[in-house]
Amino acid sequence: DIQMTQSPSSLSASVGDRVTITCRASQNINKYLNWYQQKPGKAPKLLIYAASTLQSGVPSRFSGRRSGTEFTLTINSLQPEDFATYYCQQSYSTPDTFGRGTKLEIK
Amino acid sequence: QVQLVQSGGAVVQPGGSLRLSCAASGFTFSNSALHWVRQAPVKGLEWLAVISYDGSHQYSADSVKGRFTISRDNSKNTLFLQMNSLRPEDTAVYYCARDHGNYIFRNGLDVWGQGTTVTVSS
């Protein structure tokens, strides 16, 4: 199985900050990396698929990038509604493993 | 409105069985690959299973293989998860979700059910 190592596990930031979350795959997954946002008591929401393609309706302050087996999610100019938990997921090879999540909290 | 509406969660004893349902509307169900994902209390997301658009291909995670079965009824626009030999560690919120791509080239889960809670306890 492909392991997804996500970091950091938690992050404190302020409104207006820029933050970056990283996911590293244990082997090549090409571009098959997805990012989700989850708020308490809610289902996850797809933000980015194929490493860097923004899902319809997602604000442009969210962006994704790939460098080999390392993937990053960047949020520019944090808004109050962005404080949530973020997960990466590889869909290159079953099982489609998730990272352990990054909880983004208000500083 | 594109949506997945889940039902079937319950409290069940260890060793028991349960079937979860996920009813789709607002999109062409028979064209879509579908998944099950779960989340144990205060834990992260765990991917469980995927099924192809016509039900001819399925894959399940090792943690549930041989106990859980994913299936679908395209005539009823409904996805199922049959759960047998349930264990306390299966306690979680279970989500169904649609793949943005297809069974071979999966591209993220773009539509999610609301989640249904399964508690395995005596």
Side-chain angles (χ1 to χ4, degrees):
Chain A
D1 296 0
I2 297 173
Q3 309 304 317
M4 301 303 299
T5 303
Q6 186 173 343
S7 62
S9 57
S10 64
L11 183 55
S12 291
S14 301
V15 172
D17 284 354
R18 179 168 118 169
V19 299
T20 296
I21 298 167
T22 299
C23 239
R24 184 172 288 107
S26 60
Q27 63 188 73
N28 174 49
I29 59 169
N30 202 329
K31 63 178 181 179
Y32 291 92
L33 191 283
N34 313 304
W35 289 100
Y36 301 87
Q37 175 194 69
Q38 187 181 32
K39 296 182 178 179
K42 299 293 186 181
K45 173 186 174 183
L46 180 65
L47 299 175
I48 287 171
Y49 63 94
S52 59
T53 303
L54 206 62
Q55 172 67 353
S56 175
V58 173
S60 59
R61 63 180 180 273
F62 292 90
S63 63
R65 191 169 177 179
R66 174 197 175 195
S67 177
T69 59
E70 184 171 289
F71 299 83
T72 55
L73 170 70
T74 298
I75 313 172
N76 287 303
S77 187
L78 274 171
Q79 298 300 299
E81 61 268 28
D82 298 337
F83 293 93
T85 300
Y86 292 84
Y87 294 92
C88 63
Q89 180 210 24
Q90 66 82 20
S91 54
Y92 178 77
S93 172
T94 48
D96 291 0
T97 40
F98 287 92
R100 290 193 167 195
T102 296
K103 187 172 184 179
L104 177 55
E105 298 174 304
I106 300 176
K107 187 184 286 183
Chain B
Q1 180 185 2
V2 174
Q3 62 178 356
L4 296 169
V5 177
Q6 297 183 231
S7 60
V11 178
V12 60
Q13 292 190 338
S17 297
L18 203 58
R19 187 174 84 157
L20 305 184
S21 300
C22 173
S25 59
F27 65 95
T28 306
F29 181 80
S30 58
N31 286 352
S32 300
L34 297 162
H35 300 246
W36 288 99
V37 174
R38 70 182 177 186
Q39 187 167 36
V42 206
K43 295 286 187 183
L45 301 170
E46 180 185 9
W47 182 89
L48 294 180
V50 60
I51 189 167
S52 61
Y53 72 99
D54 60 354
S56 62
H57 296 89
Q58 315 92 30
Y59 186 94
S60 298
D62 285 348
S63 59
V64 302
K65 197 168 290 185
R67 299 189 300 125
F68 292 10
T69 303
I70 186 172
S71 64
R72 64 192 296 159
D73 184 341
N74 283 354
S75 69
K76 296 182 179 177
N77 286 357
T78 304
L79 173 72
F80 302 102
L81 185 68
Q82 178 66 43
M83 310 165 68
N84 298 329
S85 303
L86 281 160
R87 305 167 179 166
E89 56 264 37
D90 295 319
T91 294
V93 175
Y94 285 72
Y95 294 101
C96 59
R98 182 184 79 172
D99 201 290
H100 189 255
N102 56 59
Y103 183 81
I104 301 297
F105 299 107
R106 299 179 302 284
N107 250 338
L109 308 180
D110 65 343
V111 180
W112 290 70
Q114 82 277 20
T116 191
T117 300
V118 174
T119 302
V120 184
S121 173
S122 53

